[in-house]
Amino acid sequence: MRPADPKRSRIVLIGSSRYADPELADLPAVATTVRDLSAFYTDPHAGVVPRRHCAVLLDAPGLESVGNGLAVSARAAEDLLLVHYIGHGLVSGRKQDLYLALPGTVWDSPDFSALEYGKLRDAVLRSPARVKIIILDCCFSGRAFSRSMYGGPSGASLAELEVEGAYVLTSAGQSQVSQILPGEEHTAFSGRLLRLLWEGIDNGPALLTIEDLYQALRHRMRIAHLSTPERRLTGDAERMPLTANRAGVLERPRRHADPPRRRMRRSGTGRTSGLGGWRRPVPLTALGALVIAVTAWSLVPDASPKARPSAHVTSPPPSAPASASPATARTVTTTATTAWRSRRLLTIPGPFDAARFSPDGTILAMSGTDRTLTLRDMSTGAGKVLRLGSASATLRPAVFSPDGRLVAAWAQGDRAIRLWDRPTGRWLTFNPAHPAPVWAAAFSPDSRTMATGGDDGDVILWDLARQRRITALRRDGNGRIWSLGISPDGKLLAAGSADGHVHLWNLRNHTYIRALTATPEGVWGLAFNPSGTRLAAVAADKRIALWDARTLELKATFRDDHTRVYGLDFSADGRFLSSCGEPDTTRVIDVTARRKVAEYPGSLSFSPTGRSFATVTALGDVQVWRMTGA
C-alpha cells in the first residue's frame, strides 16, 4: 500500500491537560505530548501532513468545540484520518462505557460533560478516508473494544460493523490504567510512540506502518512493566506506511539543495508547568482503579527529582528503560589518556531548535520554533523572550557579537537581520537587509562589522557603527552561502558554499584569496579554533578537514560517519571539535587524538569560556552540561 497523501489526509490531536473538577488531576505531560506529536506529524521532512491539515484540540473549552473540530477533519479526509486522544479515561453508565475527559468534565457524571468514545468512533468511521486510525492514550482505553461500544448485533469487533480500513490502538486494557512516570515529560504510552516515530525500529522495514509501531510499542511497554497496548483492525489499514524508518541508513530527500534542519520541532509556545500542577491521585470507583498524575518539571537538575509521594501505587516503575534516554550521552574512551566525561546540570523544556552561549558564557540564547528567541541568564535563571514578528517560522541559531552587546536573530526565509542591543534592552532600528533569504551571519572581532550570506550566493559586509552596507564580496563559482566564519584576528573571512567549496577573503582589503575544495554535498559547517590557527570544515567522503588558517595547508582529516554535517564548533580550549549532523546527533572529536570521544543526540554548542556546553535534543529541550573528566 502506498503512503498517505498529505494533501488528502487529516490528523486530529485531542488532549486535556487541565481540569476544572478538583477530583481530576491536572496532567501537564499531556500538553507536552500533544505539542510534540504535532511537531512530528507536521515536520517538513519526517511528518505525515502539512501543518494546516493537523488539528490540535488541546484543552478545548467543551464538547461542541471538540465535536466541530473532529467533524471538519473527518469530512475533509479522503486518504488517511488519524485521531489521537490523550487525557483521563472515565467509565460510567449502566454498560460501563468509556468517556474521554475534557477540561470541563465532572468526574462523577461524565455522561454529559465528557466525550463519549462511541461518538468519536462514529465520527471517524463515517469519514470517507481510505484508512481510519484511532489512538487512545487514557486509563481503561481497552474498553473501546468491549461489546457495548459497537452498534452491531454482537458488538464484538470492528469487522462486524463492515467498515473497511479501520485501526484502533489503545494504551491499556479494559481495567488497566495508563501512566505518566516520574522524570518523564510525556505520557508513558504516547512518549514511547513518539520516540519510535523519530528514532525508528532497529532491523525494521524501510517504511513503518501503524502495525509495525504497535508491535514495537507493545514490546517496549511490556519490558518496562507498563500497561499493555491493544489494537483491533479491519481490511488492510495496518498496511499503510506512516513514516520512514530512521533507525536504518535513510537519508532525507534533498529539497532544492537546502541545508538540513533539525528533525524535531515543537509547535506552539507553551511550556510545561512546574510543581503547581500537582494534584492527588484520583480513585475511579467504577473499577476500583486509580489515575496517576505526576509533575512535569520546567528545570530538571542532574539528580533526578523525586515525585511527590502518593498513598496509592497501581504499577511499579519500570525496572529498565525500553531504550536509552534522548538525554543520555554515549561516552567513548579513545586512548589511555583521552577520556571524555560530562555531567548534566539542567534541562530547559522547549520547543527550541538551537542554543548558543554569549562570549562570556553568562547568557544562553535559545532559538524557538515559533519566531521566538529566549535569552537565559545562566547565573540567575531569569529569561527574556524576544519575538520576531507574528508569522510562524523557526529561528536560525542566534549569533552574538564578540563584545556580547548585540545578538543577531532571524528566521528561516528572512532577508533582514534583527539586532538586539542587550545593554538597552531594545531592538536596533538598523536591520541589515540581504537581497535574498539569509542562511548565515558572522561578526568581526571588534564587533563593528557584520557579514551575511544567503540564497543569492553573495557575502555582504555591513558597517554596524554607521549603519550602512560596505560592499558585496566577489568570488569564483556560485551557489548559496550556508556558513560563515571570521578568524579571531579579523584577517580572514571563510564562507561555506553549496558549490562544495570554502571561499576565503582578506577581510581588511576585501580581496578574494582562493577556494578550498571541501565536499560536493555543500559546506554546511565550518569553524575557526579559538586561537585562530586552524580552520575546520566539512570534507568529502564523510570526513572533516583541518586547514592551517595562515598558510591554508591541509593539516589533518577526521573520520565522521554522519550522512551530512551541518554544524561545527570548537571547545573553549580548542581541544575538542563538535560535529552535528544526520542522523540527528553530535559527535565530539579530540582534535589531537583525531578520534571520537563522545556522542550526544541532537546538536551541541560549546561555551566560549569554561567547560560548559549545551545540547538541543530531538524533542527540542535544551540541556546544559559540564565537562568533568576531559
Side-chain angles (χ1 to χ4, degrees):
M1 181 183 289
R2 60 174 174 77
D5 181 352
K7 296 180 179 179
R8 300 170 56 242
S9 299
R10 299 294 186 274
I11 290 176
V12 182
L13 302 176
I14 307 171
S16 299
S17 66
R18 300 191 303 269
Y19 298 88
D21 190 335
E23 292 298 312
L24 290 173
D26 286 350
L27 305 174
V30 169
T32 304
T33 306
V34 169
R35 294 188 188 102
D36 289 348
L37 284 169
S38 173
F40 172 81
Y41 285 131
T42 62
D43 185 87
H45 301 287
V48 180
V49 297
R51 189 176 298 277
R52 66 181 181 278
H53 289 172
C54 180
V56 178
L57 307 177
L58 178 60
D59 294 325
L63 272 172
E64 183 177 358
S65 175
V66 173
N68 290 340
L70 177 60
V72 168
S73 295
R75 287 194 298 265
E78 298 175 346
D79 199 27
L80 168 68
L81 173 63
L82 188 153
V83 179
H84 192 145
Y85 170 83
I86 311 174
H88 282 305
L90 305 177
V91 176
S92 182
R94 182 175 57 85
K95 297 182 179 180
Q96 300 289 280
D97 291 336
L98 176 65
Y99 288 82
L100 311 178
L102 301 174
T105 294
V106 179
W107 170 70
D108 58 1
S109 58
D111 312 59
F112 303 102
S113 56
L115 174 61
E116 183 182 355
Y117 168 71
K119 293 180 179 178
L120 180 145
R121 177 210 62 207
D122 291 343
V124 171
L125 296 183
R126 286 195 300 266
S127 170
R130 179 168 60 101
V131 171
K132 310 164 188 68
I133 297 174
I134 298 175
I135 302 175
L136 300 177
D137 185 2
C138 62
C139 295
F140 321 130
S141 50
R143 295 198 66 77
F145 308 133
S146 66
R147 297 176 65 90
S148 66
M149 298 307 298
Y150 294 95
S154 66
S157 68
L158 281 171
E160 294 177 1
L161 295 179
E162 298 181 348
V163 177
E164 286 299 316
Y167 193 108
V168 180
L169 173 62
T170 68
S171 63
Q174 292 191 31
S175 55
Q176 282 185 314
V177 296
S178 293
Q179 296 107 333
I180 303 173
L181 299 180
E184 292 191 4
E185 63 175 345
H186 303 103
T187 63
F189 171 84
S190 294
R192 283 159 178 76
L193 172 61
L194 188 62
R195 186 172 296 171
L196 285 170
L197 290 168
W198 278 116
E199 299 178 357
I201 300 172
D202 291 332
N203 302 316
L207 296 176
L208 297 179
T209 66
I210 186 67
E211 181 67 8
D212 295 324
L213 295 168
Y214 160 73
Q215 295 294 343
L217 187 58
R218 184 180 176 89
H219 172 71
R220 291 193 179 192
M221 296 284 282
R222 184 173 62 250
I223 66 174
H225 304 293
L226 300 171
S227 60
T228 305
E230 298 181 356
R231 60 97 166 85
R232 298 290 188 276
L233 62 136
T234 65
D236 57 357
E238 83 279 10
R239 295 176 52 212
M240 174 178 277
L242 287 183
T243 185
N245 185 1
R246 268 155 289 279
V249 221
L250 301 174
E251 295 185 20
R252 286 184 190 159
R254 298 188 66 181
R255 299 176 52 186
H256 309 294
D258 281 346
R261 297 156 62 183
R262 286 187 49 72
R263 280 198 310 190
M264 188 161 192
R265 297 182 174 82
R266 285 183 181 158
S267 59
T269 59
R271 303 288 188 267
T272 55
S273 67
L275 290 173
W278 173 269
R279 290 186 183 176
R280 64 180 176 84
V282 181
L284 295 180
T285 54
L287 291 173
L290 302 170
V291 176
I292 294 184
V294 299
T295 306
W297 293 72
S298 56
L299 289 179
V300 182
D302 185 51
S304 299
K306 296 180 179 179
R308 290 196 177 188
S310 168
H312 308 280
V313 178
T314 58
S315 62
S319 58
S323 64
S325 164
T328 302
R330 294 185 288 278
T331 303
V332 181
T333 301
T334 57
T335 70
T337 59
T338 303
W340 170 282
R341 292 190 298 275
S342 62
R343 180 169 62 90
R344 187 173 63 192
L345 303 179
L346 59 88
T347 297
I348 307 169
F352 299 112
D353 194 72
R356 295 290 185 271
F357 284 96
S358 61
D360 61 4
T362 62
I363 301 295
L364 184 62
M366 299 173 289
S367 304
T369 61
D370 49 3
R371 297 187 74 93
T372 58
L373 177 67
T374 301
L375 302 179
R376 177 185 172 87
D377 188 312
M378 298 306 295
S379 60
T380 67
K384 184 173 185 62
V385 179
L386 311 177
R387 177 169 290 278
L388 281 72
S390 57
S392 177
T394 298
L395 292 192
R396 302 294 297 169
V399 181
F400 283 91
S401 60
D403 62 7
R405 176 174 172 267
L406 298 179
V407 185
W410 72 100
Q412 292 175 2
D414 286 357
R415 300 178 183 223
I417 302 278
R418 299 291 304 278
L419 295 171
W420 178 259
D421 189 331
R422 288 180 54 210
T424 65
R426 297 176 180 272
W427 293 107
L428 295 186
T429 56
F430 175 58
N431 301 319
H434 201 91
V438 176
W439 284 111
F443 287 93
S444 62
D446 61 7
S447 302
R448 295 175 59 88
T449 303
M450 186 173 71
T452 59
D455 277 352
D456 58 354
D458 286 340
V459 176
I460 296 179
L461 300 181
W462 305 88
D463 187 323
L464 299 179
R466 299 181 181 180
Q467 299 188 356
R468 64 179 180 86
R469 169 173 162 161
I470 300 174
T471 187
L473 302 180
R474 304 302 176 186
R475 63 186 171 103
D476 296 331
N478 52 47
R480 297 172 177 175
I481 300 298
W482 282 340
S483 52
L484 287 172
I486 297 177
S487 61
D489 61 8
K491 295 179 179 179
L492 193 64
L493 184 147
S497 173
D499 65 12
H501 295 84
V502 176
H503 296 275
L504 302 172
W505 288 267
N506 183 318
L507 192 56
R508 295 185 175 177
N509 59 22
H510 306 158
T511 58
Y512 185 70
I513 299 175
R514 58 173 286 193
L516 303 176
T517 301
T519 169
E521 293 292 321
V523 183
W524 293 314
L526 58 81
F528 286 95
N529 68 350
S531 65
T533 59
R534 294 290 184 266
L535 170 62
V538 183
D541 301 323
K542 296 185 177 180
R543 303 190 75 82
I544 296 172
L546 202 62
W547 283 280
D548 187 306
R550 295 184 174 87
T551 66
L552 303 184
E553 294 179 4
L554 181 63
K555 290 297 184 181
T557 61
F558 309 130
R559 178 71 182 177
D560 187 286
D561 291 326
H562 282 118
T563 305
R564 295 189 182 101
V565 174
Y566 56 85
L568 298 175
D569 191 30
F570 278 98
S571 61
D573 58 6
R575 181 181 174 187
F576 298 104
L577 177 69
S578 68
S579 165
C580 310
E582 294 294 343
D584 200 10
T585 57
T586 292
R587 293 176 177 127
V588 180
I589 300 168
D590 185 307
V591 176
T592 303
R594 302 183 188 179
R595 292 172 182 253
K596 182 181 78 171
V597 295
E599 183 172 307
Y600 295 81
S603 62
L604 184 151
S605 177
F606 287 107
S607 170
T609 61
R611 302 172 65 82
S612 298
F613 61 95
T615 60
V616 182
T617 71
L619 298 177
D621 294 337
V622 173
Q623 296 179 333
V624 180
W625 305 73
R626 181 174 296 278
M627 291 181 277
T628 59

